[in-house]
Amino acid sequence: KLKSMEDATVEAQVFGMEVIESRKKPGLRIVTLKITDNTDSIYAKTFIDGDDNFAEFAKKVFKDKCPYLVYGDIRDYDKLKTSILEFQPEIIIHMAAQAIVSNAENNPDEAFDINVNGIKNLLDIICNLDYVKSFVNVSTDTVYFCKEKDIYYENDLIGGYNVYSKSKSDAERLLIEYKKKYNRKFFSSTRCVNVIGGGDVNYSRIIPECLNALNSGRDIIIKTPENRRPFIHVLEALYGYLCVAYNQYVGKISNDAYNFGPYEEDYVYMGDVANLFCLKNNNIISWNKKAFDKNSFLEKFICIDLVNKEIGWIPVYSFSERLDLVLEWNKVFMSKKDIIKITDEQIKNFLERVK
């Protein structure tokens, strides 16, 4: 596994590594490529004393869970190529992205550089390497272009509607072109809805905003309470990516894209997210409920029949359960207790549910 994340968090990294570890066979190596020395990380600030950089923090947190931790940047072609040639990965999961919508809007050149040129670097390197058997490009459900549709299937037109979704659409198109040119049938994109989990500190997203309000003792700010959106937990998403990667590796599936999301009935209004969050925290905080009109938003859904049929993936949790897991992780984090332990426990419980 070769991964870089524009704003990586400990939660996502440890989850990714642990899910693989739980299914690994002797001799399997996991390689993580990470942006260099993120000393602004909330985790570094919380858990590290002194002036240690993120590299030292990673060693402390990951311990023996990730012995092959490479620091680099998806835009650094030479470093990327050197790492791939050194470790010779058979499976690559590409998660490097500028995934913060507001940042992409404010700096579109950087967004396209990371999201499009980043995957181009990878494809230029790996398409002629026989040992790369399976490639998964982690994309987004926002790539769909057909605004008049209320449900999206993998063969629908893509194009996006803002800088982030357009850059991810361009990345997918590029992958399809390379897939055809080099006859790499086991390369695909996963189009996932909003992913929630402990460790996300992008406060422009609703769950981190709720957590920040809770941790700061202020009210929640919801800009679009009438919007109805889909969420899945990070473990559900990562497990899906791994299932796609494995089934491609053994030659069982070869589609261009796969949708991942909750059941239609589990899509939630942003206002209801805030209500449930407050309720689960004994209403010690609140939010401004003014102008909460549930009929003002055009509902859109993504169809998940393909992943269910081809790899047996289904959503594991309800939205309420997903929120419980986030709150559980946040409680441990805020008390400065063992985040690795709670992460391990959540993974073990998840794997029991998917047996």
Side-chain angles (χ1 to χ4, degrees):
K1 179 170 182 266
L2 213 161
K3 179 176 71 173
S4 168
M5 301 181 72
E6 190 274 336
D7 187 22
T9 65
V10 170
E11 175 76 349
Q13 289 198 18
V14 174
F15 270 176
M17 286 178 271
E18 281 282 5
V19 173
I20 297 176
E21 286 284 345
S22 69
R23 293 287 192 255
K24 72 180 268 188
K25 296 180 179 179
L28 176 64
R29 293 190 303 174
I30 304 163
V31 182
T32 301
L33 177 68
K34 193 206 174 290
I35 291 289
T36 306
D37 297 349
N38 185 5
T39 52
D40 289 331
S41 165
I42 186 173
Y43 303 102
K45 291 177 178 177
T46 303
F47 287 97
I48 296 181
D49 297 324
D51 297 322
D52 293 338
N53 62 23
F54 191 85
E56 295 302 316
F57 172 61
K59 292 177 184 177
K60 175 182 177 181
V61 173
F62 297 153
K63 299 177 183 176
D64 60 345
K65 297 181 183 299
C66 187
Y68 305 106
L69 185 63
V70 179
Y71 286 85
D73 190 308
I74 196 69
R75 295 167 290 180
D76 186 342
Y77 179 90
D78 292 335
K79 182 65 173 288
L80 190 61
K81 184 174 182 179
T82 298
S83 300
I84 290 174
L85 294 180
E86 177 184 356
F87 292 103
Q88 299 186 12
E90 294 180 275
I91 297 174
I92 295 178
I93 301 178
H94 173 47
M95 301 179 72
Q98 168 51 277
I100 301 175
V101 174
S102 59
N103 288 358
E105 292 295 325
N106 292 333
N107 195 340
D109 289 342
E110 181 185 63
F112 277 92
D113 191 24
I114 295 171
N115 295 348
V116 182
N117 291 335
I119 194 172
K120 183 179 184 301
N121 282 344
L122 262 176
L123 295 172
D124 282 339
I125 295 166
I126 68 175
C127 276
N128 286 315
L129 299 177
D130 291 338
Y131 51 75
V132 178
K133 307 295 185 185
S134 175
F135 177 83
V136 176
N137 168 48
V138 176
S139 190
T140 168
D141 66 321
T142 62
V143 296
Y144 289 112
F145 184 75
C146 304
K147 294 184 179 180
E148 71 279 4
K149 291 178 65 68
D150 58 2
I151 186 165
Y152 295 100
Y153 300 87
E154 285 84 351
N155 60 355
D156 280 331
L157 182 67
I158 63 172
Y161 56 89
N162 56 20
V163 171
Y164 169 63
S165 58
K166 288 179 182 296
S167 68
K168 296 297 283 186
S169 298
D170 286 353
E172 285 202 34
R173 291 193 186 101
L174 193 63
L175 173 57
I176 292 172
E177 290 302 315
Y178 274 77
K179 182 175 180 176
K180 293 177 181 176
K181 179 179 179 180
Y182 293 94
N183 193 28
R184 302 306 298 259
K185 60 188 298 187
F186 303 119
F187 284 24
S188 68
S189 295
T190 53
R191 298 170 183 165
C192 192
V193 301
N194 302 291
V195 176
I196 63 174
D200 186 357
V201 292
N202 176 14
Y203 299 128
S204 64
R205 297 171 178 156
I206 185 169
I207 300 301
E209 159 59 20
C210 291
L211 290 171
N212 190 32
L214 176 66
N215 296 339
S216 305
R218 62 169 176 81
D219 285 346
I220 300 168
I221 300 172
I222 304 295
K223 297 178 181 178
T224 54
E226 70 282 355
N227 284 13
R228 192 178 182 203
R229 293 290 291 145
F231 297 89
I232 60 174
H233 191 264
V234 63
L235 282 177
E236 295 173 287
L238 286 169
Y239 190 76
Y241 304 159
L242 293 169
C243 287
V244 170
Y246 172 75
N247 281 277
Q248 287 181 159
Y249 179 75
V250 297
K252 289 185 177 180
I253 58 175
S254 59
N255 294 288
D256 289 337
Y258 301 90
N259 288 340
F260 287 92
Y263 293 120
E264 184 175 321
E265 60 269 22
D266 214 19
Y267 282 49
V268 288
Y269 290 101
M270 299 299 94
D272 287 341
V273 171
N275 285 333
L276 183 60
F277 187 92
C278 293
L279 181 63
K280 287 180 178 292
N281 288 282
N282 300 315
N283 292 311
I284 60 175
I285 59 173
S286 61
W287 70 282
N288 186 351
K289 300 181 182 181
K290 187 165 54 178
F292 182 18
D293 179 7
K294 291 186 179 183
N295 296 315
S296 65
F297 183 68
L298 178 62
E299 295 183 356
K300 299 176 185 295
F301 307 95
I302 65 167
C303 180
I304 57 173
D305 290 349
L306 183 62
V307 287
N308 176 240
K309 177 183 177 182
E310 299 219 347
I311 63 175
W313 185 92
I314 58 172
V316 173
Y317 300 121
S318 67
F319 178 76
S320 180
E321 290 173 314
R322 294 176 186 120
L323 188 54
D324 286 338
L325 291 171
V326 176
L327 287 169
E328 179 185 47
W329 199 95
N330 181 70
K331 183 178 180 180
V332 173
F333 169 69
M334 291 304 296
S335 62
K336 296 188 178 182
K337 294 182 180 179
D338 192 344
I339 58 173
I340 301 300
K341 181 179 178 182
I342 186 60
T343 298
D344 286 343
E345 290 175 357
Q346 290 190 352
I347 291 163
K348 289 175 182 176
N349 291 337
F350 172 81
L351 293 175
E352 285 295 320
R353 291 278 292 264
V354 298
K355 280 185 178 179

